[in-house]
Amino acid sequence: MKPKTVFVCQECGSQSPKWLGRCAECGAWNSLVEERAQESTPSAGGHRYALSGPSGAARPYSEIAIEGNPRLSTGIDEFDRVLGGGVVPGSLVLLGGEPGIGKSTLLLQAGANMARTIGPVLYSSGEESEHQIKLRGERLAVGKAPLYLLAETCLERILEETARIKPALVIVDSVQTVFSQKFQSAPGSIGQVREAATQMLFTAKGQNIPTFLVGHVTKDGSLAGPKALEHVVDTVLYFEGERHHSHRVVRAVKNRFGAISELGVFEMTSAGLRPVPNPSKMFLAERPSNVPGSAVLCSVEGSRPILVEVQALVSTSTYGTARRTASGIDQQRLSLLLAVLEKRAGLNLIGDDVFVNIAGGMTVDEPASDLGVLAAVASSVRNRVIPLATAMFGEVGLAGEVRGTAQAALRVREAAQMGFRRCIMPEANIDPADRSQPGGECELVGVRTVGEALDALLQ
Ligand code: TYD
Ligand code: MG
């Protein structure tokens, strides 16, 4: 009998009985691939794992005891922070990121730490041999921790080894290399990736083994897998950073057990990833003094304030059309802010190239960063220096008004701690009773419009 096949969209995972040039669900072109239909084995279907106790019957809410499930520390503060305070027992965590960003390094470090503190750890890699992992481990000072390495791509073998070793933590690097013998499709196809994640989910929940999955994503997020997995796993972390900078940021984009948009900052060194407890200091380290076009803005990522430098360069365009280039902030947002600057603050930017860059390869996408971007551009246009000890934040509206932002006190405190003496901020965020309260020695200057802000900044 001919095996039954279906066509599966590699973008969204939807199925179709026949081939189509364009996926009917998500509209992606040429994304359907033939895969063997998943045979539903009745024995395996219903009872592969039960979260609701052995009987499987529903229980009253009030009778369910809260288990004292303490979080497990990874031994890396910044990593614990992103996870919401450590790894939750039995949770499935997906760590996505571009190749070469440091996913394997971070998980090997965390795995070694946890092997020392909570028990054996299984590190299964489909990308490197045991020998190569060991070479890396030597640099990371793994030492004598009970860490088990398995160079394997077969899902069934990984599950066997998990059952044999009974580890306290499992790491699968990467989910795209794992394949199940039950399916014909190639490793990395959406069917295989989903099966691997589902089986690891059963192991994690059924045997209470926390599990990390590594997933590769390319710049355009085109690789099958991580996107389709996001709803299967408990927590999705993304590893970001630029190849040419040593700092790396891990962000939570989904977390069933903690706040999202929480962020951990690391620095890639010759001995692996080193947590950066004070990112503001790192991002401001190379700030030039007495140069027009440089401003410091207070942004908040998750619950954490970070000061970053925004640089702008405005120069006469030598070609016909003026260029507007933004890196680290949204290009559309920059265009909008430049329009506000021209219309509401009377700056003339016609025929000028505008380049804006967030120093250190950082990305900010908060509206509260508007004021900093405007100030940097205006500083460059007018060729006036913004005083070194001045920080700023505030959202700018189309009418040129400066709007209040959330977590103002947090931003001011961070600026004061970093030695800033003046903070330009939305008037709406200043409590008239205590003009310099949260900042202590930091003078708070409230502004209502872009014009007022520029007057305060570039006297
Ligand atoms: P890796 O963890 O292999 O990335 P991924 O698993 O996300 O593909 O990290 C690869 C990069 O990290 C590589 O370019 C070398 C660098 N690196 C260091 O700079 N220091 C180190 O101690 C290690 C282990 C790697
Ligand atoms: Mg890797």
Side-chain angles (χ1 to χ4, degrees):
M1 196 182 79
K2 191 168 165 284
K4 197 167 178 293
T5 60
V6 288
F7 292 86
V8 180
C9 171
Q10 301 296 306
E11 298 283 337
C12 72
S14 70
Q15 298 188 347
S16 155
K18 61 181 198 306
W19 191 83
L20 299 169
R22 186 176 192 212
C23 173
E25 283 291 325
C26 68
W29 289 98
N30 200 18
S31 65
L32 267 63
V33 170
E34 186 170 18
E35 290 182 7
R36 183 183 285 224
Q38 190 166 353
E39 81 280 16
S40 56
T41 40
S43 60
H47 293 287
R48 277 198 285 187
Y49 82 111
L51 294 173
S52 52
S55 67
R59 285 195 291 161
Y61 177 82
S62 58
E63 278 179 20
I64 296 167
I66 296 176
E67 292 165 36
N69 259 357
R71 297 204 178 225
L72 309 167
S73 171
T74 60
I76 305 170
D77 294 347
E78 292 289 306
F79 199 26
D80 285 349
R81 172 203 294 274
V82 198
L83 289 164
V87 186
V88 173
S91 64
L92 185 63
V93 180
L94 176 69
L95 177 64
E98 288 168 44
I101 196 103
K103 301 179 293 297
S104 309
T105 307
L106 180 65
L107 290 182
L108 193 59
Q109 283 179 280
N113 289 342
M114 292 182 80
R116 269 182 230 113
T117 53
I118 62 166
V121 169
L122 176 63
Y123 185 104
S124 162
S125 176
E127 312 207 323
E128 292 157 300
S129 68
E130 287 111 339
H131 182 72
Q132 287 169 321
I133 302 170
K134 171 124 192 175
L135 274 181
R136 180 199 301 257
E138 291 299 290
R139 291 218 268 154
L140 307 176
V142 169
K144 288 211 173 8
L147 182 70
Y148 291 83
L149 303 182
L150 176 68
E152 184 59 72
T153 55
C154 174
L155 178 63
E156 284 74 21
R157 282 282 305 130
I158 296 171
L159 294 174
E160 268 172 44
E161 283 301 290
T162 308
R164 189 177 71 83
I165 298 171
K166 300 202 168 43
L169 174 79
V170 176
I171 298 165
V172 178
D173 187 4
S174 65
V175 69
Q176 274 101 10
T177 57
V178 177
F179 75 97
S180 164
Q181 287 164 334
K182 281 192 268 166
F183 295 95
Q184 297 287 299
S185 48
S189 68
I190 205 151
Q192 289 286 13
V193 166
R194 212 194 269 151
E195 172 70 7
T198 314
Q199 290 299 334
M200 294 319 293
L201 180 75
F202 293 156
T203 315
K205 304 284 171 190
Q207 302 173 36
N208 207 27
I209 304 173
T211 304
F212 281 106
L213 301 177
V214 170
H216 290 298
V217 267
T218 49
K219 263 258 180 308
D220 53 347
S222 64
L223 211 61
K227 283 283 171 211
L229 290 184
E230 283 184 359
H231 58 273
V232 176
V233 302
D234 295 313
T235 302
V236 180
L237 307 179
Y238 271 98
F239 219 129
E240 297 168 2
E242 276 187 40
R243 218 167 267 276
H244 308 291
H245 290 281
S246 64
H247 91 266
R248 301 280 183 273
V249 173
V250 179
R251 243 179 243 277
V253 294
K254 164 181 172 179
N255 197 349
R256 288 193 181 138
F257 314 112
I260 58 153
S261 75
E262 204 53 89
L263 148 144
V265 183
F266 299 90
E267 193 180 5
M268 184 61 100
T269 68
S270 57
L273 288 156
R274 198 176 58 78
V276 178
N278 189 344
S280 300
K281 199 167 158 195
M282 184 175 80
F283 290 122
L284 297 180
E286 290 169 74
R287 192 153 72 100
S289 54
N290 277 324
V291 178
S294 159
V296 172
L297 59 90
C298 318
S299 90
V300 171
E301 298 279 353
S303 62
R304 173 180 229 187
I306 296 184
L307 300 182
V308 289
E309 184 199 353
V310 49
Q311 297 188 323
L313 183 66
V314 179
S315 70
T316 316
S317 179
T318 41
Y319 304 103
T321 47
R323 279 183 298 170
R324 270 84 217 266
T325 313
S327 85
I329 64 161
D330 183 41
Q331 182 93 37
Q332 300 283 339
R333 193 81 200 164
L334 176 64
S335 306
L336 187 150
L337 292 175
L338 293 179
V340 172
L341 209 50
E342 293 202 340
K343 203 86 182 166
R344 310 281 173 212
L347 260 67
N348 189 1
L349 296 166
I350 295 169
D352 285 336
D353 287 338
V354 180
F355 305 94
V356 173
N357 178 34
I358 305 290
M362 181 74 183
T363 308
V364 288
D365 55 4
E366 254 202 318
S369 56
D370 291 351
L371 196 55
V373 175
L374 280 185
V377 173
S379 159
S380 180
V381 174
R382 294 201 185 150
N383 212 21
R384 297 255 188 85
V385 178
I386 296 173
L388 209 53
T390 304
M392 68 207 73
F393 63 89
E395 179 179 350
V396 173
L398 291 183
E401 80 279 20
V402 176
R403 294 164 168 262
T405 57
Q407 291 162 306
L410 199 64
R411 299 172 204 264
V412 170
R413 209 175 305 130
E414 175 76 4
Q417 260 166 23
M418 292 304 296
F420 286 83
R421 291 284 153 266
R422 209 158 168 247
C423 189
I424 313 292
M425 58 190 283
E427 176 72 32
N429 282 131
I430 294 191
D431 190 349
D434 44 16
R435 284 226 152 226
S436 65
Q437 244 307 307
E441 285 176 31
C442 186
E443 182 201 352
L444 306 185
V445 182
V447 293
R448 280 183 217 91
T449 63
V450 172
E452 277 181 40
L454 297 186
D455 289 345
L457 284 163
L458 314 164
Q459 291 112 353

